[in-house]
Amino acid sequence: MPPKFDPTAISIVYLRAVGGEVGATSTLAPKIGPLGLSPKKVGDDIAKATGDWKGLKITCKLTIQNRQATVSVVPSASALIIKALKEPPRDRKKVKNIKHSGDITFDEVVSIARTMRPRSMARELSGTVKEMLGTAQSVGCTIDGQHPHDVIDAINSGEMEVPDS
């Protein structure tokens, strides 16, 4: 027989959900059912917490203690960049393969890099900024009207300065 479940132990569950939508309870049940939580209630909490990320796939962190789940959003770099483009929310079921051809400023990229700094593998902020520029390139947007890789080359050559924290 398995050991008795300790309700005061803190358990953390990460899962991907679409912002602002109640996910399928069938995907939540195997993850949080054994912890004694109702998947429907947690699904509603996730939808409430991810309201301002409408239509974007986002990672959520569920911290569970005493059979209470608190939802916090852990945004990815691409989600932050797409949010910075300020595109109107789209219907996932109808609009597919969208091109994010917008333009964001270099200052927005630096602020996104500051948000992502704890999770980055780079030693300095300039390395994290380059990571965000690489993500911007794969998303398909431009930085101040320039291709993201041109901005990376400018940072490498020293033409462009990344402000320190």
Side-chain angles (χ1 to χ4, degrees):
M1 202 163 142
K4 189 84 179 87
F5 176 67
D6 179 22
T8 57
I10 298 174
S11 53
I12 296 172
V13 179
Y14 287 97
L15 42 94
R16 301 262 300 164
V18 179
E21 291 182 18
V22 180
T25 52
S26 57
T27 58
L28 284 173
K31 294 182 184 85
I32 60 172
L35 302 171
L37 287 144
S38 153
K40 187 171 182 347
K41 191 168 149 273
V42 174
D44 293 340
D45 290 347
I46 291 171
K48 208 180 305 152
T50 59
D52 50 342
W53 298 89
K54 216 166 196 57
L56 292 175
K57 274 268 207 185
I58 197 102
T59 308
C60 297
K61 176 184 175 184
L62 291 177
T63 312
I64 300 159
Q65 185 177 22
N66 296 335
R67 293 183 64 191
Q68 284 304 115
T70 51
V71 182
S72 55
V73 177
V74 186
S76 63
S78 56
L80 284 166
I81 287 172
I82 292 170
K83 191 175 181 189
L85 287 169
K86 297 180 182 70
E87 292 178 341
R90 64 187 179 95
D91 187 7
R92 276 187 324 128
K93 297 192 172 46
K94 293 189 184 108
V95 187
K96 300 280 187 207
N97 301 333
I98 192 164
K99 285 272 182 279
H100 304 285
S101 57
D103 186 66
I104 56 177
T105 64
F106 186 68
D107 296 332
E108 285 176 317
V109 174
V110 172
S111 70
I112 290 170
R114 285 205 175 96
T115 310
M116 294 294 290
R117 187 76 191 103
R119 296 193 299 162
S120 169
M121 293 292 165
R123 276 185 301 186
E124 285 138 23
L125 183 67
S126 61
T128 312
V129 168
K130 288 183 213 169
E131 284 180 12
M132 296 310 114
L133 288 167
T135 309
Q137 181 178 343
S138 63
V139 163
C141 63
T142 54
I143 313 308
D144 293 326
Q146 293 180 297
H147 193 268
H149 211 276
D150 299 339
V151 180
I152 292 175
D153 292 338
I155 291 170
N156 287 342
S157 67
E159 294 168 29
M160 213 169 197
E161 271 297 308
V162 176
D164 290 329
S165 55

